[in-house]
């Protein structure tokens, strides 16, 4: 029996070796000849194949697989829902940017007007008679059908409509000569506001929808643009004051640490008075010198513009931000008043000790005088 197995192995092993050697030379031709797969299908055979195996002759699967009906239905449903949600928004229509900056406490509009006229790149546009402290200019040279417009507010804010970034930088550099108390570059860069605007024919009415400005496609939109610009200018001005308040809070943070750890105040009376002056100056700007707490008089007899103004302010969270700033200011006022009281008490205590010392010296002289008598 053992001899029979050895004989069979001697016959089979050379045969298998010959077949594997033959297959390793022409595996693809054998597969195409003796398989039921069409020769037109791509067959992938590794050039390093040396042994016959079914895995060597697996054809490549067609990448364009048949879509799953359920997944196709879900995708179409998602697209349909998106169209329904955006059916009133001109997503396919062209849109442009509105960018606002606040670069200084105040602009000299007369000097700015003279400089722009000398350059000859912008011409002033007419505004309503009851609009004051605003300079509206348009570019003389058009790049596309949409005009490039700029609104300069005397309070130190500028709003660009459809103006490229390079042109905005050049205008901001030009503004330096007309600025009073310029802000730092970091504050200007962090406090800018951007919005997108387009034209619509759906309701034939200018409105603010989902953070996008939709202008009426018919008629003039100068007053509407001014309304949106007014709200944006107020927002960026508030952003600069927020940055100033954060800087002020950082400057007095060490005082709280000293009170907690050392129990003493490291500031002098003059330093505390300066801090009080900075604080009340900022408080005056926010609550008295701006329109953060009130609606400008321009909108009192223009209900449509007043609605746009309030919607834009609500979108920019101006009321909430103003409320938060006033709460922070109240906390800072309490802290500075505490410092002032502590320093005043320390000053009074020092005066009392000086008076006691003088009385002691006088009593000493009287005692010496008595002994010498």
């Amino acid at each position: 029996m053992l001899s029979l197995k050895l004989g069979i192995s001697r016959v089979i092993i050379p045969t298998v070796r010959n077949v594997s050697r033959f297959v390793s030379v022409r595996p693809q031709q054998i597969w195409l000849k003796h398989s039921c797969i069409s020769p037109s299908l791509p067959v992938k055979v590794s050039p390093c194949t040396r042994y016959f195996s079914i895995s060597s002759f697996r054809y490549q699967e067609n990448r364009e697989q048949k879509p799953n009906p359920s997944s196709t239905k879900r995708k179409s449903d998602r697209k349909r829902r998106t169209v329904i949600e955006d059916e009133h928004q001109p997503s396919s229509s062209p849109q442009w940017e509105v960018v606002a900056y606040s670069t200084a406490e105040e602009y000299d509009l007369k000097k700015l007007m003279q400089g722009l006229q000398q350059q000859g790149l912008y011409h002033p546009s007419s505004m309503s008679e009851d609009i004051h402290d605003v300079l509206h200019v348009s570019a003389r040279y058009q790049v596309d059908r949409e005009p490039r417009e700029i609104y300069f507010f005397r309070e130190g804010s500028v709003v660009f409509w459809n103006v490229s970034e390079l042109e905005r930088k050049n205008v901001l550099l030009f503004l330096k000569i007309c600025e009073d108390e310029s802000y730092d570059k970091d504050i200007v860069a962090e406090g800018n506001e951007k919005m997108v605007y387009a034209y619509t024919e759906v309701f034939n009415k200018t409105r603010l929808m989902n953070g996008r400005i939709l202008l009426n496609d018919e008629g003039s939109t100068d007053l509407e643009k001014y309304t949106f610009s007014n709200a944006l200018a107020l927002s960026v001005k508030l952003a600069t004051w927020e940055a100033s308040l954060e800087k002020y809070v950082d400057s007095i943070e060490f005082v709280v640490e000293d009170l907690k750890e050392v129990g003493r105040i490291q500031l002098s009376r003059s330093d505390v008075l300066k801090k009080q002056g900075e604080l009340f100056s900022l408080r005056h700007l926010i609550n008295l010198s701006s329109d953060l707490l009130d609606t400008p008089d321009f909108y009192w007899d223009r209900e449509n513009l007043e609605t746009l103004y309030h919607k834009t302010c609500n979108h920019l969270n101006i009321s909430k931000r103003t409320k938060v700033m006033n709460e922070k200011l109240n906390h800072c006022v309490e802290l500075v008043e505490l410092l002032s009281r502590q320093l005043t008490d320390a000053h009074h205590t020092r005066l009392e000790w000086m008076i006691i010392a003088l009385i002691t010296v006088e009593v000493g002289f009287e005692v010496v005088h008595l002994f010498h008598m």
Side-chain angles (χ1 to χ4, degrees):
M1 186 69 179
L2 180 60
S3 60
L4 178 60
K5 291 181 179 179
L6 293 174
I8 292 173
S9 62
R10 290 175 182 175
V11 175
I12 292 176
I13 291 175
T15 305
V16 173
R17 288 178 179 175
N18 293 332
V19 172
S20 62
R21 190 179 299 111
F22 176 73
V23 170
S24 63
V25 177
R26 294 186 302 170
Q28 185 171 358
Q29 290 82 347
I30 296 174
W31 176 258
L32 295 177
K33 182 177 179 180
H34 300 283
S35 67
C36 60
I37 300 176
S38 174
S40 61
L41 291 176
V43 179
K44 182 178 181 180
V45 181
S46 175
C48 300
T49 303
R50 299 189 61 183
Y51 300 101
F52 183 83
S53 65
I54 296 298
S55 61
S56 302
F57 303 105
R58 290 179 180 172
Y59 64 93
Q60 293 179 343
E61 296 180 356
N62 191 359
R63 294 184 180 179
E64 298 179 357
Q65 299 178 355
K66 293 183 179 181
N68 189 0
S70 61
S71 63
T72 305
K73 185 176 181 180
R74 287 195 298 269
K75 291 182 180 179
S76 62
D77 290 343
R78 285 198 295 269
K79 290 183 179 179
R80 190 178 298 112
R81 285 197 296 269
T82 303
V83 172
I84 291 174
E85 291 173 357
D86 299 336
E87 62 183 358
H88 298 301
Q89 298 184 15
S91 58
S92 59
S93 62
Q95 58 186 18
W96 301 269
E97 274 191 344
V98 186
V99 186
Y101 299 91
S102 181
T103 62
E105 286 294 332
E106 190 175 347
Y107 291 152
D108 187 350
L109 295 183
K110 184 177 180 180
K111 185 177 181 180
L112 177 60
M113 184 66 185
Q114 294 175 355
L116 292 175
Q117 289 178 348
Q118 292 177 0
Q119 281 189 344
L121 298 177
Y122 303 92
H123 61 86
S125 300
S126 60
M127 298 285 291
S128 178
E129 295 181 356
D130 52 351
I131 296 179
H132 307 287
D133 298 333
V134 179
L135 176 61
H136 177 211
V137 299
S138 301
R140 293 183 180 274
Y141 306 100
Q142 298 294 329
V143 177
D144 52 13
R145 68 178 183 87
E146 178 64 18
R148 308 193 313 278
E149 300 175 87
I150 307 175
Y151 289 85
F152 299 97
F153 292 83
R154 186 180 297 275
E155 293 80 9
S157 301
V158 54
V159 183
F160 299 93
W161 290 74
N162 188 31
V163 179
S164 64
E165 183 179 0
L166 179 60
E167 188 174 356
R168 293 199 303 265
K169 290 182 178 179
N170 292 331
V171 173
L172 293 178
L173 288 176
F174 175 78
L175 274 174
K176 294 293 183 182
I177 60 175
C178 306
E179 293 177 352
D180 184 17
E181 298 183 17
S182 302
Y183 298 142
D184 295 335
K185 292 183 178 179
D186 297 336
I187 295 178
V188 175
E190 293 178 1
N192 70 84
E193 289 281 359
K194 290 185 180 181
M195 294 184 71
V196 175
Y197 78 97
Y199 291 92
T200 179
E201 299 177 352
V202 178
F203 296 108
N204 198 24
K205 182 180 178 181
T206 299
R207 64 194 184 280
L208 180 68
M209 180 178 291
N210 295 332
R212 299 179 65 202
I213 299 173
L214 302 180
L215 297 175
N216 181 16
D217 197 23
E218 298 179 0
S220 176
T221 57
D222 291 340
L223 291 179
E224 287 83 355
K225 285 185 176 181
Y226 165 76
T227 301
F228 289 117
S229 300
N230 194 2
L232 286 168
L234 191 61
S235 177
V236 293
K237 177 60 69 174
L238 179 58
T240 58
W241 291 335
E242 288 172 341
S244 300
L245 181 58
E246 292 296 329
K247 187 177 179 181
Y248 180 85
V249 171
D250 293 338
S251 67
I252 63 174
E253 186 176 1
F254 74 95
V255 177
V256 180
E257 297 295 330
D258 290 341
L259 288 174
K260 183 176 67 174
E261 297 178 358
V262 183
R264 299 196 299 271
I265 299 175
Q266 304 293 334
L267 294 176
S268 62
R269 292 190 65 192
S270 61
D271 293 335
V272 173
L273 288 175
K274 290 180 181 178
K275 292 297 180 182
Q276 281 184 327
E278 294 177 13
L279 191 60
F280 282 106
S281 174
L282 185 59
R283 202 172 188 178
H284 176 82
L285 290 173
I286 294 172
N287 296 307
L288 299 179
S289 298
S290 67
D291 296 322
L292 291 173
L293 302 178
D294 194 8
T295 303
D297 298 342
F298 171 75
Y299 303 106
W300 283 4
D301 56 348
R302 298 175 173 89
E303 295 182 0
N304 294 333
L305 297 180
E306 184 179 3
T307 302
L308 288 177
Y309 177 78
H310 286 302
K311 284 186 176 180
T312 309
C313 290
N314 291 334
H315 172 71
L316 299 171
N317 293 325
I318 291 180
S319 298
K320 294 181 180 179
R321 291 160 59 192
T322 304
K323 183 178 179 181
V324 171
M325 277 205 68
N326 280 320
E327 290 178 357
K328 291 183 178 180
L329 285 171
N330 292 334
H331 175 74
C332 292
V333 167
E334 291 178 1
L335 178 60
V336 174
E337 287 179 352
L338 174 63
L339 298 178
S340 179
R341 286 197 301 268
Q342 292 291 332
L343 290 176
T344 302
D345 293 341
H347 180 67
H348 290 166
T349 303
R350 189 163 49 253
L351 289 178
E352 290 174 358
W353 279 108
M354 291 176 63
I355 294 173
I356 292 173
L358 291 175
I359 293 174
T360 303
V361 171
E362 185 178 358
V363 170
F365 278 116
E366 291 294 332
V367 170
V368 172
H369 182 66
L370 289 174
F371 276 111
H372 282 286
M373 291 179 64

